[in-house]
Amino acid sequence: VACFLLFNIGDYIGRILAEVIAWPRPSATGAYVTLALSSARLLFIPLFLCCNVRPGDRSITPVVFESDVIYMLIMAVFSLSNGYISSICMVAAPQLVRAEEAQTAAALMAALLGWGLALGAAASNALVLLI
């Protein structure tokens, strides 16, 4: 329960921060910065795999972070970055295309968000096997 609650609260706060801070701005350079920040989030995969999940039943990755506090800090940063970056992408995409294509860009972003969630859920089953 704490895991899901912590993620959703962090995601919500990240979305609010995206409205307040709004960096990077919608531009070609901002798109590359957002892509880099989004790609950097892949570093969370090995961090989560090294947390204290099923410590007695591990075969591939070791337990590096035995404290649950470390896990909660990693989850907090992960969820904040998820909300922040997803909101920046959703807001910037319609602004980077021609005015007549903005509605299509927004719809495409919503569809790709759905696909991303589905693929992430499917990939999670495979990632659990790496523990």
Side-chain angles (χ1 to χ4, degrees), residues 26-27 86-110:
S27 66
S86 63
S87 291
I88 291 294
C89 290
M90 290 294 206
V91 169
Q95 295 178 11
L96 291 174
V97 297
R98 294 186 304 234
E100 61 269 10
E101 296 175 344
Q103 186 175 1
T104 304
L108 184 61
M109 290 301 293

Side-chain angles (χ1 to χ4, degrees), residues 39-85:
S39 298
R41 294 184 73 243
L42 290 172
L43 294 174
F44 283 106
I45 294 172
L47 288 175
F48 281 125
L49 289 175
C50 292
C51 285
N52 193 17
V53 178
R54 297 185 343 205
D57 187 31
R58 296 176 78 97
S59 59
I60 297 177
T61 57
V63 175
V64 177
F65 309 116
E66 293 184 9
S67 172
D68 289 340
V69 174
I70 300 294
Y71 169 76
M72 290 189 295
L73 290 172
I74 294 169
M75 178 59 78
V77 174
F78 178 72
S79 62
L80 282 168
S81 66
N82 183 69
Y84 186 83
I85 292 172

